Amino acid sequence: MRHLLVLHADFSRHPLGMAGSALAYGTMVGAACNLPSIWPLSLVALVGIAALVAEGACTSKWRSTATVALATAGWHAAATWWVVLTVHQGDQWVLLWQAIVVSAVVAAQVMWMVAAWLVLRALAVWHDRGKLSARSAAIAWWIAFAAGDELRQMGWSGNPYGDLGIALIDVPGVRALLPLVGSQGVAWAAMGLACAIAVVTRQSLSRARAALAWSPVSAATVGIALMTLGAASLAADGFEFTHVAELSPLDIVALQPTVIGRGRWSAPVRDKAMALLTRAIQQARPGSLIVTPESYLYEPPPAQPAGLWDELLDQVDSAGVHVLLGMPFLLRGPDALLHLNAAVHLAPKRQSVYAKERPVPGGEYLPLHELLGAFYTRALDMPGPGEQAAPPELTAPLYVAGIDIGMSICHELAFGQTMAQRSQDVGLLVNLSLEGWVPSAAFRRQMLSISRARAMESGRSLLRVADNGGSMLIDPLGNIVAPTRRIGELVMFDQVQPREGHTPYQWVARWMPLFPFALAVLMAVATLVRRSLASRLIRKSPT
C-alpha cells in the first residue's frame, strides 16, 4: 500500500498527472451524485482531491488553483451531464443551447470554488508567514469548499445539483446525520475528514522525523474521530425527532400521466389530462388529496367560472375532495404581467396558489432576454422571457384538508436552504415535477436521493408526484412507501400521517450559510492574535 501511495504521489507531481488525477477524482464524486451506490469511490476521490490541493498549495498557487478548477469541473460536469439529454426531437439548436447551459453551470461552479480558494489560500499563507504548510493548506481548502458550496447556490443562476451530501446518502450512519446537519453539513464533514486523512497520509510518506513522529498521533486522532462519529450515527439511525400530529390522516391520489418529450399543449392532450383527473376525482374518497403535475390548463380559475373550469369546480365541490394542479399562472404585477410556474389548490368553495421561486435558468427562465431574444425566438421557439421567480407571498404553505403543506416544484427540491424554509411548521411536503422531457435514469436516481434527504432533514413525509411513473412517497426515515394500490396512471396512498415538531437541522439551517465565513474570520483573528503575542514576546526578550 505504501508503495502505491508513493507511486501516486510521484505521478501527481507531474503537471499532466496532476491535471488527470484532479479531473478523474472530480468525475468520481460527480458520478456518485447520480449513482450513490459507488460512494466508496467518492470517499477515495475526496481524499485524493484534498491531497492534490494540499500538495499543490505548498509548491505553487497556480498549481493548487488549477487542481481546484479541474476537480470542480469534472465533479459538476459528471453530476449534471444529463441536462444535454433533455432534447427528444434532435433539434440541433436546442441541443446546442442545452450544451451551452451545462457549460455555463459548470463554469459558474468553478468560478465560485476558485474564488473561495484564492481568498482562503491567501489567508493561510498569511497565517504561516509566507511558507504554507500542508496542514494549513488542507484547512484552507476545507473552508473554501464549504464557502464555495454555499455561494454556488445563490442567485437566479444558482445550481443545487452535485451536492456531496446527496452522493453520500447511502454511507452507513449518514441517515442519522441528515436530521442534525442536513446534506450540507454532511458534505462539509466529509470534506473535513478527507482533508485530515490527506494530511496524515502525506506526513506518513514524508522522511522528516518530526512528521513521522507526529503521524501516528494524527492517524490515531482521525481514526478515533471516525469511529466515534460512525458509532454515534449508527446508534441514532432510526431515531425520529418529529412525531405524528393530532390531525386526521390524509388519503392521497397521485396522477402520473405519460408525457413524451416536452408535452406541448394541444386540445386533445388537455382533454386526455382532464379525463384522467376526472377519473381520479371519481375514485377518491371525500376529503382526499388529488395531485397532478400537469393539467394543461393555461389559465387560472376565473372569477366567474365557465366551461371547463365550471365543470371541474363542480366535480371538486360534489366529491368533497382537494386537488393540486400543476399549471402556468399569470399574475399582474405592479409593472408587468408575471408568468409563473404554479400549483393551484382547488377545494370546495375555495382556491389558493403556490408559485415557483427558483425557475430553471436557461430552461424556464431565459436570462439576458433583451440581448438574446432573437435567438430564443428563432432557435428555441420561445418568444418571451420565460417564467419569472414568484413573489414571497406566493411561496407560503398551502392549507389543504386541514393540513399545512410545504410546497415545491421541480428542482426547487434540490435546494437545501429553500426546502428548510418550506418545511417549517408544516405537516407534509409535496413536490410536483414534470420529467418526461428528461430521459435520464441518472437524473431520476439523483432526484430520488434528494427526495430521501429532504424527508429525513425535515422529519416529514415527502410526496413527489411526477409524470411517466416517477411518483413516490418517502417517509420521515427516508424509506420509500409502497402505494396502497394502483389503477392505471393513478397511484394511491392511504392514511398518510402529517407530522409536527422540528429536527435540529430545521433550527440551524438558517445559520449554516454563515459557517464557512465565520471560520474564515476566526482564522484571520487567530492569526492576528498569534502575531500580536509573538511581537510582544520578542519585545520583552533580553537583548
Side-chain angles (χ1 to χ4, degrees):
M1 177 61 72
R2 182 181 177 86
H3 293 297
L4 288 176
L5 292 173
V6 171
L7 183 63
H8 175 268
D10 292 339
F11 173 74
S12 299
R13 288 193 182 97
H14 191 278
L16 291 179
M18 178 275 297
S21 298
L23 273 174
Y25 287 144
T27 302
M28 287 164 64
V29 179
C33 296
N34 297 319
L35 191 61
S37 60
I38 64 171
W39 61 263
L41 289 179
S42 67
L43 292 178
V44 172
L46 288 180
V47 176
I49 293 172
L52 287 175
V53 173
E55 179 70 29
C58 296
T59 56
S60 166
K61 176 174 72 172
W62 302 116
R63 182 184 177 93
S64 61
T65 303
T67 299
V68 170
L70 291 170
T72 304
W75 182 328
H76 291 282
T80 56
W81 62 269
W82 41 260
V83 175
V84 183
L85 297 182
T86 59
V87 184
H88 279 263
Q89 296 83 2
D91 189 307
Q92 60 179 354
W93 288 108
V94 180
L95 182 62
L96 174 63
W97 175 247
Q98 296 295 345
I100 292 173
V101 169
V102 172
S103 301
V105 166
V106 173
Q109 314 308 303
V110 172
M111 176 192 71
W112 285 120
M113 202 64 74
V114 167
W117 165 245
L118 289 175
V119 172
L120 267 298
R121 185 190 182 279
L123 183 58
V125 170
W126 179 51
H127 177 273
D128 287 354
R129 297 181 179 272
K131 186 173 177 59
L132 187 61
S133 67
R135 197 185 316 174
S136 296
I139 294 173
W141 164 237
W142 176 50
I143 301 174
F145 168 79
D149 191 50
E150 181 60 37
L151 290 169
R152 73 185 183 90
Q153 301 185 48
M154 296 174 59
W156 63 265
S157 61
N159 173 50
Y161 298 106
D163 184 350
L164 176 58
I166 299 301
L168 301 178
I169 194 170
D170 287 338
V171 176
V174 164
R175 295 205 315 175
L177 294 177
L178 287 169
L180 300 175
V181 295
S183 64
Q184 201 171 30
V186 169
W188 297 349
M191 186 58 80
L193 287 173
C195 289
I197 294 171
V199 170
V200 170
T201 303
R202 185 178 187 275
Q203 289 175 336
S204 70
L205 297 176
S206 173
R207 295 181 180 179
R209 287 188 176 182
L212 286 171
W214 193 78
S215 179
V217 177
S218 304
T221 302
V222 172
I224 292 172
L226 283 171
M227 288 187 291
T228 302
L229 180 62
S233 300
L234 291 173
D237 195 3
F239 180 80
E240 297 185 56
F241 291 93
T242 60
H243 56 274
V244 175
E246 295 181 0
L247 298 170
S248 300
L250 186 62
D251 293 338
I252 298 175
V253 180
L255 280 65
Q256 44 183 25
T258 301
V259 178
I260 304 300
R262 295 181 178 270
R264 291 186 178 275
W265 185 92
S266 67
V269 168
R270 179 204 60 192
D271 293 341
K272 181 181 178 181
M274 295 309 298
L276 180 62
L277 180 58
T278 298
R279 184 151 58 93
I281 293 175
Q282 294 170 349
Q283 294 280 345
R285 303 186 185 101
S288 297
L289 171 62
I290 301 169
V291 189
T292 178
E294 180 59 89
S295 60
Y296 293 99
L297 293 172
Y298 268 51
E299 295 179 359
Q304 297 295 327
L308 191 61
W309 273 113
D310 190 32
E311 296 175 11
L312 179 57
L313 292 175
D314 280 345
Q315 292 178 27
V316 171
D317 290 344
S318 300
V321 296
H322 296 257
V323 178
L324 281 176
L325 301 172
M327 59 182 294
F329 191 85
L330 301 179
L331 177 68
R332 293 194 177 277
D335 302 318
L337 190 67
L338 299 179
H339 297 255
L340 306 175
N341 189 349
V344 175
H345 170 220
L346 306 180
K349 310 301 180 186
R350 185 170 63 88
Q351 293 91 46
S352 56
V353 64
Y354 166 88
K356 189 175 184 179
E357 182 185 15
R358 306 293 295 260
V360 180
E364 296 171 326
Y365 170 68
L366 301 178
L368 304 175
H369 191 267
E370 297 80 4
L371 180 64
L372 302 176
F375 171 78
Y376 293 147
T377 301
R378 296 176 183 176
L380 307 181
D381 192 23
M382 300 178 71
E387 296 167 349
Q388 288 87 40
E393 55 268 24
L394 291 184
T395 61
L398 295 179
Y399 187 69
V400 178
I403 302 171
D404 286 318
I405 292 182
M407 294 294 303
S408 61
I409 295 177
C410 191
H411 86 145
E412 282 186 314
L413 189 65
F415 288 93
Q417 288 292 321
T418 298
M419 291 307 301
Q421 298 172 11
R422 298 283 188 275
S423 64
Q424 294 287 341
D425 301 316
V426 301
L428 177 69
L429 297 175
V430 174
N431 175 260
L432 306 184
S433 183
L434 283 177
E435 300 177 353
W437 60 290
V438 189
S440 169
F443 168 76
R444 292 178 181 273
R445 284 193 298 266
Q446 189 168 168
M447 291 309 299
L448 170 59
S449 298
I450 290 171
S451 301
R452 293 177 59 208
R454 300 299 170 249
M456 289 185 275
E457 289 170 351
S458 64
R460 282 153 176 79
S461 296
L462 185 147
L463 174 70
R464 189 163 187 271
V465 182
D467 54 2
N468 293 357
S471 299
M472 67 186 74
L473 178 67
I474 311 291
D475 70 15
L477 295 178
N479 302 309
I480 300 177
V481 179
T484 307
R485 58 193 181 282
R486 295 177 182 266
I487 304 177
E489 295 174 312
L490 307 181
V491 182
M492 302 182 182
F493 301 94
D494 292 348
Q495 302 291 297
V496 177
Q497 291 283 358
R499 312 279 293 191
E500 61 184 6
H502 295 86
T503 62
Y505 173 69
Q506 289 178 301
W507 292 111
V508 303
R510 69 182 64 183
W511 307 109
M512 287 189 69
L514 301 177
F515 173 75
F517 307 103
L519 283 180
V521 171
L522 184 63
M523 187 176 180
V525 171
T527 302
L528 285 173
V529 170
R530 191 181 73 166
R531 289 198 171 191
S532 176
L533 291 175
S535 63
R536 289 182 183 180
L537 290 174
I538 292 174
R539 287 197 299 268
K540 290 181 179 180
S541 62
T543 57

